[in-house]
Amino acid sequence: MLKFFTDVLSNRAITTPVLTWFLAQSIKFFHNYVKTRKLDFRKLIGSGGMPSSHTAFTVSLATILGIHNGFTSDIFALAVVFSLVVMADAAGVRRAAGKQAEVLNELVNSHENIQLDKQLKELLGHTPIEVVAGAALGIITGIILN
């Protein structure tokens, strides 16, 4: 059992994306602190914001796999396609859902007869620049932590 854990922890295709995700979330946390001067620990695990941690995670995985297996390998192609799906979802579907939540929250707040247990989460997706920043972070960490 110990060998399993040491093998997993020595696998760069696992540890690099996890560290990249943690770095992206930390950047969001400190960026929010600089903007608001308030510590919001939810930024360490929440979605949305600059940079896209999902994108950084998947792109770092693709980078590591490309470096280790070759940029013409099937596994690299699979990781790139996976990353593109994640990026499209972040900037498309999840961003649209966040904008809809914003409108619904305004509607609920403006009518006394409509009530929710809590406000809908508005920061779900990413702007294109947040996705690009996540991709850049993923490439950089994939190269450096290789």
Side-chain angles (χ1 to χ4, degrees):
M1 189 63 140
L2 182 61
K3 182 175 178 353
F4 169 78
F5 287 113
T6 57
D7 287 349
V8 168
L9 291 175
S10 66
N11 185 337
R12 298 287 174 131
I14 295 172
T15 57
T16 297
V18 169
L19 289 172
T20 301
W21 174 86
F22 181 75
L23 179 60
Q25 292 299 116
S26 298
I27 291 169
K28 289 181 198 184
F29 174 80
F30 289 113
H31 180 259
N32 184 70
Y33 176 74
V34 168
K35 252 174 55 173
T36 65
R37 293 288 182 223
K38 294 180 184 171
L39 293 175
D40 184 357
F41 291 100
R42 292 174 297 184
K43 297 292 182 194
L44 289 172
I45 58 169
S47 60
M50 172 67 97
S52 168
S53 56
H54 291 93
T55 299
F57 183 93
T58 59
V59 170
S60 71
L61 174 62
T63 303
I64 286 289
L65 292 175
I67 291 169
H68 286 226
N69 299 293
F71 292 99
T72 60
S73 67
D74 291 345
I75 193 70
F76 173 70
L78 177 66
V80 167
V81 170
F82 173 61
S83 293
L84 291 173
V85 169
V86 168
M87 289 186 273
D89 179 65
V93 176
R94 289 186 326 154
R95 185 163 186 229
K99 288 181 177 229
Q100 290 172 0
E102 189 176 337
V103 170
L104 288 170
N105 283 334
E106 286 180 30
L107 181 64
V108 168
N109 290 335
S110 66
H111 288 82
E112 294 176 14
N113 297 338
I114 305 173
Q115 292 184 350
L116 291 174
D117 292 342
K118 61 180 181 177
Q119 289 230 317
L120 299 172
K121 186 173 180 186
E122 297 175 8
L123 191 57
L124 296 172
H126 296 279
T127 64
I129 194 72
E130 291 169 344
V131 172
V132 169
L137 179 63
I139 291 168
I140 291 166
T141 56
I143 292 169
I144 291 173
L145 298 176
N146 178 37

